[in-house]
Amino acid sequence: MKRKFFHLLFIFTFVPFFLIACSGGGSETSTSTESENTNETPATNEEEATTSGGTLKIAYEAQPNTLDPSVTTAGATKDLSRPIYESLVTLNENWEVTPQLAESYEISEDGTVVTFKLRQGVLFHNGEEMKAEDVIASMEKWTEYSSLAKSMLSGAEWVEVDEYTVELHLERPSGLVMQTLADQNQVAAIMPKEVAEAADATGAKEYIGTGPFKFEEWQTDQYVKMVRFEDYQPLNDSPSGLAGEKLALVDEIYWYFVPDESTRNAGLISGEYDIATGISYDTVEQIEAVPHLSAYIHPYGFQMLVFNKKSGLFTDVKARQAVNYAVDKQAILQTSFADERFYNMESSLFRPEQTEWYSQVGKEIYDTHDLDLAKQLLEEAGYNGEEVVILTSRDYAYQYNAAVSVQQMLNDVGINAKLDVYDWGTLLDRRSDPEAWDIFFTGWDTSLIPHQYSFLDSEAEWPGWTNSPEIDQILDDMETAATPEEVKELNDKLHEEFWNYMPLVNIGNYSKVTGINEKVKGYQDFIGPVVWNVSVEE
């Protein structure tokens, strides 16, 4: 006996309630703040689809190092690859798991087999129909290279039943498996079998998906161009988050790589760009003062200072704790984001509206700024004045500003801190080398479940290299917890261990700002830019 996907084991019974709560205010994962968006609801009727066209020009902060979203957690890859690829399941506006390339799915009574019925007639950008063999190859690739998949689906097997049916066989039942498959940090992108099998840990060598736009051209350091996929097969459901009907209403999209904030702002004001992501926080008022522009403020996630725990000073937990007490988080947030509209102090790994995951355990550690205690812990860690390398990039100004601020704060407690500045793509490469850095800054979208935070998982090999058997055990116990109360208790325990082990310092939550020309209709942000169902009026 099988039960339909909407009964998904127990999905913790409470998950739908906190997901609905999250949808009003919160990406990677946070939803948009609708009151800040003056754009119209995306048009999805056939008449507008046939009369739309033109070019959507986006000024984007950073160039990714790949467009394969299954092998990296980098936001630039996630955002740019989204129009190209689709997955078996995705998330709707309430953060509920919803079929996408799967027509439906069912979970066996014992929770160890998930059966996916595939949509028929779905074409890849190369004109070939998507079938089970493509899904199997893509999911095996994802299971091998995605840090979340390696953790959550260890020992799992993908099995082809027929051309339009695949099964996922699990070693043990998990109430979190469907959220794992819908993860947006390392999307389980479906691609042709031959492309998936030719890929390696650096990603696919060709970018071929089933999405509403297909990859056309990548001019290094200039732009990525995508064009409308004329044979795209949209769903008939209403658009919702990343689910439902997805129409390519423009002929082409240019993602211009514009790392300089002032250049993005100037191009948006002049009309060179229709959309500019990562608007500088201190120029929002300038954007809002231009009649044909609007500033779209959307909650994102949290800013974090990541420690290298494989090599160097911060293999010692006392040194990590020293940095936490040495840094003034309020001052860092103010330096990074300028206005309290764009940030708030927050110790939890989840947002307050995520009521079943939010925890204030560890808040007292987060709130403590004590230079004397920092110096004492450094002495106990045996620090001898060796150089501490802070890896950062000007491509994301708020991260660079935070790094500059922290460098001075560490100098104040006697740490010989040095900035090492690169473009974002180079930083992503260098952070994989444990001999190249000690600290780096990044942002992480608020996630659906703690297992989506690769920085918690000892097996994920995410840069920073967490190695905490205690955290691993808590995450394992969460997967098989029988009641919401048990999960809540484990979540508090997780936050306690997080602040004791300190794989990173959570600086606080922040929002992002996107500048939009009034001629762009239907733009939204849901765990990143949503560029389908978007038109440009000339």
Side-chain angles (χ1 to χ4, degrees), residues 203-348:
K205 308 310 176 187
E206 296 179 86
Y207 303 127
I208 302 174
T210 61
F213 291 91
K214 61 181 182 179
F215 172 77
E216 176 79 4
E217 180 184 14
W218 187 339
Q219 289 290 334
T220 304
D221 298 326
Q222 297 182 51
Y223 61 80
V224 161
K225 178 185 178 183
M226 301 172 186
V227 298
R228 185 207 309 262
F229 179 37
E230 299 293 349
D231 293 323
Y232 179 68
Q233 303 293 317
L235 291 165
N236 293 322
D237 301 332
S238 298
S240 177
L242 302 178
E245 188 176 47
K246 297 159 64 174
L247 298 179
L249 298 182
V250 295
D251 296 326
E252 55 189 13
I253 302 174
Y254 280 87
W255 300 81
Y256 292 100
F257 306 130
V258 190
D260 181 69
E261 287 182 325
S262 61
T263 304
R264 289 198 302 278
N265 289 355
L268 180 67
I269 293 170
S270 70
E272 181 181 0
Y273 308 122
D274 303 314
I275 295 172
T277 64
I279 289 296
S280 0
Y281 296 97
D282 57 0
T283 60
V284 168
E285 291 184 1
Q286 177 189 2
I287 296 297
E288 291 174 328
V290 178
H292 63 277
L293 300 180
S294 63
Y296 179 30
I297 302 172
H298 43 100
Y300 181 76
F302 51 91
Q303 186 180 40
M304 56 197 204
L305 179 162
V306 183
F307 296 109
N308 178 351
K309 297 172 290 298
K310 181 178 283 189
S311 178
L313 174 64
F314 298 114
T315 56
D316 191 317
V317 66
K318 290 187 176 180
R320 303 198 295 270
Q321 292 169 344
V323 170
N324 174 69
Y325 295 127
V327 299
D328 182 339
K329 301 176 185 68
Q330 174 71 38
I332 296 170
L333 291 168
Q334 178 66 37
T335 298
S336 298
F337 305 109
D339 190 309
E340 290 186 358
R341 285 190 296 167
F342 311 128
Y343 72 86
N344 61 283
M345 300 279 287
E346 183 54 72
S347 64
S348 180

Side-chain angles (χ1 to χ4, degrees), residues 40-52:
E40 298 173 1
T41 302
T44 59
N45 61 74
E46 185 175 348
E47 179 180 356
E48 175 152 355
T50 58
T51 58
S52 297

Side-chain angles (χ1 to χ4, degrees), residues 435-451:
E435 303 303 320
W437 60 278
D438 298 291
I439 288 170
F440 80 89
F441 275 89
T442 192
W444 201 289
D445 310 354
T446 306
S447 287
L448 190 63
I449 57 174
H451 302 70

Side-chain angles (χ1 to χ4, degrees), residues 93-237:
E93 63 189 10
N94 293 324
W95 293 20
E96 296 163 329
V97 177
T98 304
Q100 189 171 68
L101 290 177
E103 183 176 86
S104 64
Y105 63 86
E106 296 177 344
I107 300 174
S108 64
E109 191 65 35
D110 65 1
T112 62
V113 179
V114 185
T115 302
F116 297 90
K117 292 292 185 181
L118 305 180
R119 292 166 55 201
Q120 298 187 28
V122 174
L123 300 182
F124 286 112
H125 299 154
N126 62 4
E128 299 294 326
E129 185 183 7
M130 178 199 72
K131 294 185 178 180
E133 64 177 4
D134 304 299
V135 173
I136 296 294
S138 298
M139 299 309 291
E140 288 178 344
K141 166 185 171 295
W142 175 73
T143 304
E144 179 178 2
Y145 295 124
S146 163
S147 55
L148 176 64
K150 283 192 288 188
S151 170
M152 296 291 287
L153 301 180
S154 176
E157 182 182 7
W158 292 91
V159 177
E160 178 178 345
V161 178
D162 58 45
E163 283 192 333
Y164 299 105
T165 309
V166 299
E167 290 181 345
L168 170 60
H169 292 225
L170 302 168
E171 284 193 335
R172 60 178 181 176
S174 170
L176 302 177
V177 64
M178 297 313 300
Q179 284 85 352
T180 302
L181 292 169
D183 174 51
Q184 293 299 306
N185 285 318
Q186 285 185 289
V187 176
I190 303 301
M191 55 191 68
K193 178 177 183 289
E194 62 273 15
V195 174
E197 290 180 341
D200 57 24
T202 65
K205 308 310 176 187
E206 296 179 86
Y207 303 127
I208 302 174
T210 61
F213 291 91
K214 61 181 182 179
F215 172 77
E216 176 79 4
E217 180 184 14
W218 187 339
Q219 289 290 334
T220 304
D221 298 326
Q222 297 182 51
Y223 61 80
V224 161
K225 178 185 178 183
M226 301 172 186
V227 298
R228 185 207 309 262
F229 179 37
E230 299 293 349
D231 293 323
Y232 179 68
Q233 303 293 317
L235 291 165
N236 293 322
D237 301 332

Side-chain angles (χ1 to χ4, degrees), residues 271-519:
E272 181 181 0
Y273 308 122
D274 303 314
I275 295 172
T277 64
I279 289 296
S280 0
Y281 296 97
D282 57 0
T283 60
V284 168
E285 291 184 1
Q286 177 189 2
I287 296 297
E288 291 174 328
V290 178
H292 63 277
L293 300 180
S294 63
Y296 179 30
I297 302 172
H298 43 100
Y300 181 76
F302 51 91
Q303 186 180 40
M304 56 197 204
L305 179 162
V306 183
F307 296 109
N308 178 351
K309 297 172 290 298
K310 181 178 283 189
S311 178
L313 174 64
F314 298 114
T315 56
D316 191 317
V317 66
K318 290 187 176 180
R320 303 198 295 270
Q321 292 169 344
V323 170
N324 174 69
Y325 295 127
V327 299
D328 182 339
K329 301 176 185 68
Q330 174 71 38
I332 296 170
L333 291 168
Q334 178 66 37
T335 298
S336 298
F337 305 109
D339 190 309
E340 290 186 358
R341 285 190 296 167
F342 311 128
Y343 72 86
N344 61 283
M345 300 279 287
E346 183 54 72
S347 64
S348 180
L349 297 174
F350 295 91
R351 295 182 175 278
E353 58 265 31
Q354 293 173 279
T355 54
E356 300 301 333
W357 288 110
Y358 182 71
S359 175
Q360 290 196 307
V361 172
K363 185 176 185 300
E364 70 285 353
I365 298 175
Y366 172 85
D367 286 339
T368 301
H369 178 219
D370 188 329
L371 300 186
D372 290 335
L373 179 55
K375 292 175 182 177
Q376 176 187 327
L377 287 166
L378 282 174
E379 184 177 348
E380 292 175 6
Y383 178 64
N384 292 315
E386 56 266 34
E387 187 175 77
V388 167
V389 175
I390 303 176
L391 194 59
T392 188
S393 172
R394 288 188 174 89
D395 289 1
Y396 293 102
Y398 61 94
Q399 293 180 17
Y400 177 74
N401 292 340
V404 171
S405 181
V406 165
Q407 179 191 24
Q408 183 58 55
M409 293 174 184
L410 297 186
N411 288 342
D412 290 343
V413 295
I415 294 178
N416 177 22
K418 167 202 169 184
L419 294 185
D420 206 8
V421 185
Y422 298 93
D423 66 87
W424 185 247
T426 303
L427 184 148
L428 293 177
D429 290 334
R430 288 190 64 80
R431 76 181 189 180
S432 299
D433 180 0
E435 303 303 320
W437 60 278
D438 298 291
I439 288 170
F440 80 89
F441 275 89
T442 192
W444 201 289
D445 310 354
T446 306
S447 287
L448 190 63
I449 57 174
H451 302 70
Q452 289 175 302
Y453 292 129
S454 300
F455 55 78
L456 293 177
D457 186 354
S458 299
E459 296 181 4
E461 284 297 306
W462 189 79
W465 303 283
T466 290
N467 184 16
S468 171
E470 293 78 12
I471 290 178
D472 294 338
Q473 187 61 57
I474 294 169
L475 294 174
D476 287 345
D477 291 344
M478 280 182 172
E479 291 186 51
T480 55
T483 66
E485 291 75 21
E486 186 178 349
V487 173
K488 178 65 174 174
E489 182 178 345
L490 286 167
N491 187 49
D492 285 340
K493 188 177 178 182
L494 173 67
H495 280 77
E496 179 181 15
E497 191 57 36
F498 170 84
W499 284 104
N500 287 335
Y501 176 78
M502 206 165 292
L504 53 87
V505 176
N506 176 8
I507 304 297
N509 285 356
Y510 68 100
S511 296
K512 284 190 171 183
V513 183
T514 298
I516 305 175
N517 192 300
E518 64 179 6
K519 67 182 181 180

